[in-house]
Amino acid sequence: LIRKNYSLALSQLGLWDDAIQELEKALEMTPADASEYHDLAARNYSNRAKARAEAGRWDRALPDLTAAIKHDSRPAMYFRQRGAAYFN
């Protein structure tokens, strides 16, 4: 959770590569059986996708958004973000 919050702060500063690295570390720390943590994993994937998109790496954002939906398909936001990534 600390890495996620730190990555969000980095994103606010426009430090996209640093934010992406922090989110990669956060995802590595998510347990393999993430059933209890599906919401956290989904948000981390979504946040990494946003950072990648802001850095102009839309092609790298798409797999993250698909992973976010896989972990938690309830938030319409993930579908909306993925749709936007397809058009960029």
Side-chain angles (χ1 to χ4, degrees):
L1 189 58
I2 292 170
R3 289 199 181 276
K4 179 183 89 73
N5 291 338
Y6 182 53
S7 71
L8 293 175
L10 292 169
S11 292
Q12 291 292 319
L13 296 171
L15 301 171
W16 308 118
D17 291 330
D18 295 332
I20 291 166
Q21 288 177 350
E22 284 301 313
L23 287 161
E24 287 172 357
K25 291 175 187 173
L27 286 164
E28 288 172 7
M29 295 172 66
T30 304
D33 178 18
S35 58
E36 294 179 43
Y37 305 97
H38 67 278
D39 184 47
L40 178 61
R43 283 184 279 148
N44 283 338
Y45 277 112
S46 175
N47 289 335
R48 187 171 69 177
K50 184 177 186 313
R52 286 179 166 169
E54 292 290 344
R57 299 182 199 129
W58 290 96
D59 58 323
R60 305 277 319 268
L62 279 170
D64 283 345
L65 292 165
T66 300
I69 291 167
K70 180 182 128 192
H71 284 285
D72 189 3
S73 62
R74 294 172 295 167
M77 171 183 64
Y78 303 149
F79 290 97
R80 182 179 50 79
Q81 287 174 324
R82 189 170 66 170
Y86 276 115
F87 287 104
N88 286 297

